[in-house]
Amino acid sequence: MEFNENFILGCSAIGAGLAVIAGIGPGIGQGIAAGHAAAAVGRNPGAKGDVTSTMLLGQAVAETTGLYGLFIALMLLFVKPLV
Amino acid sequence: MGHGILLSAAEAEASAGSDIDFMIHGVFSYEIFGQTVWITTTHVCLLIVMLIIIGFCLAANRAVKKAGTVPTGFLNVVELIVEMLDGMIKSAMGSNATKFANYIGTLFLFIFISNISGLIGLRPPTADYGVTLALALITFCMIHFNKFKYQHVSGVIKGLCDPWVFWAPINIIGDIAVPVSLSLRLFANILSGTAIMALVYGLLGWIATAWPAALHIYFDLFSGAIQTYVFCMLTMTYVNDAIGSES
């Protein structure tokens, strides 16, 4: 069966939209990290600097999976590997 | 097509079409062993970043040689940077810090200047997978060199068959995943920032005046600094793990 280019482009756009759903996971994860960091600062305000840097490091690592999804979406939209 | 985002030379121009443009472009190509090799914008931006770092280093060297008893002006900035890097490496590596301070410091400065080079209108070199993969492969080699050096062959084999002999394939996949995730993390972060900035400037036209500066601060400065820190921190953690508690 032969598909024309427009059909593949449309399907790529749908795929890009689906790939960006990966952003849900890091959103939840970063929210949990920030919430716990806020609780830790509330308990021990003296350790604010350490808590903040640890939180940012953990969030940056947790962000990775979402960025994989974004990367796939960008590839599908701009590089068009399937056409 | 098919070269994709990694090597998309002249083809990207045809595929991007409109004003939205954050791809790598070929500057000129040459033939070597029957293969066409492109000198791309990444190489040019990399060269500019290197020139910035070399210029900074020459200025710092001159300032250090002329230093009196009390540091002044530019020397204060240099000392601040060196002390910050030393503190970071010391807190992550402990007693191994002196051996790796040179490499980690170089890595930190290079990645940081690369990431924030979007501010001066360059396409960040770290938004090219070739650059980040090379950096991650250096880390990978360092990890395994130090593993063989400090834990010897028996220790490496013991670590590979950690809970049980049949877990070795899973451990090998885990080892290979380290450079892949390390490089993709840096690459995807910087690429997403570059892409979003290109979309803002390309789609909004005249509306995008002045206020994208805030986006630049987030995507270039903040995200770039955080990712630099994460890359160096993970490199140090992995290498420290490889050295083990023996030394």
Side-chain angles (χ1 to χ4, degrees), chain A residues 64 67 70-71 78-80, chain B residues 1 4 15 23 185 187 189 192:
Chain A
T64 315
L67 285 165
L70 181 68
F71 173 56
F78 292 103
V79 183
K80 298 170 192 156
Chain B
M1 290 299 124
S15 69
M23 294 296 176
R185 176 178 302 124
F187 167 65
N189 259 292
S192 65

Side-chain angles (χ1 to χ4, degrees), chain A residues 53 56-57 60-61 63-64 67-68 70-71 74-75 78-80 83, chain B residues 1 4-5 15 22-23 181 184-185 187-189 192 199 226-227 230:
Chain A
S53 64
L56 284 176
L57 184 70
V61 174
E63 206 178 36
T64 315
L67 285 165
Y68 291 163
L70 181 68
F71 173 56
L74 286 174
M75 291 280 276
F78 292 103
V79 183
K80 298 170 192 156
V83 173
Chain B
M1 290 299 124
I5 214 155
S15 69
F22 55 89
M23 294 296 176
S181 76
L184 270 180
R185 176 178 302 124
F187 167 65
N189 259 292
S192 65
L199 288 178
I226 290 280
Q227 288 308 318
V230 167

Side-chain angles (χ1 to χ4, degrees), chain A:
Chain A
M1 211 158 128
E2 188 81 8
F3 293 120
N4 65 4
E5 192 174 321
N6 290 335
F7 180 78
I8 296 174
L9 280 180
C11 287
S12 294
I14 295 173
L18 289 176
V20 176
I21 295 177
I24 292 175
I28 295 172
Q30 291 185 335
I32 291 173
H36 282 284
V41 173
R43 224 175 293 128
N44 185 4
K48 189 163 186 272
D50 282 347
V51 169
T52 310
S53 64
T54 312
M55 180 194 76
L56 284 176
L57 184 70
Q59 285 185 332
V61 174
E63 206 178 36
T64 315
T65 49
L67 285 165
Y68 291 163
L70 181 68
F71 173 56
I72 299 292
L74 286 174
M75 291 280 276
L76 284 174
L77 283 181
F78 292 103
V79 183
K80 298 170 192 156
L82 301 179
V83 173

Side-chain angles (χ1 to χ4, degrees), chain B residues 11-53:
Chain B
E11 296 165 6
E13 283 170 57
S15 69
S18 55
D19 317 338
I20 308 162
D21 178 32
F22 55 89
M23 294 296 176
I24 305 157
H25 297 294
V27 178
F28 69 91
S29 65
Y30 59 95
E31 300 263 332
I32 182 165
F33 302 125
Q35 295 270 340
T36 311
V37 183
W38 283 87
I39 297 291
T40 59
T41 43
T42 305
H43 294 95
V44 179
C45 295
L46 213 48
L47 200 68
I48 295 171
V49 168
M50 270 164 54
L51 287 178
I52 291 172
I53 296 177

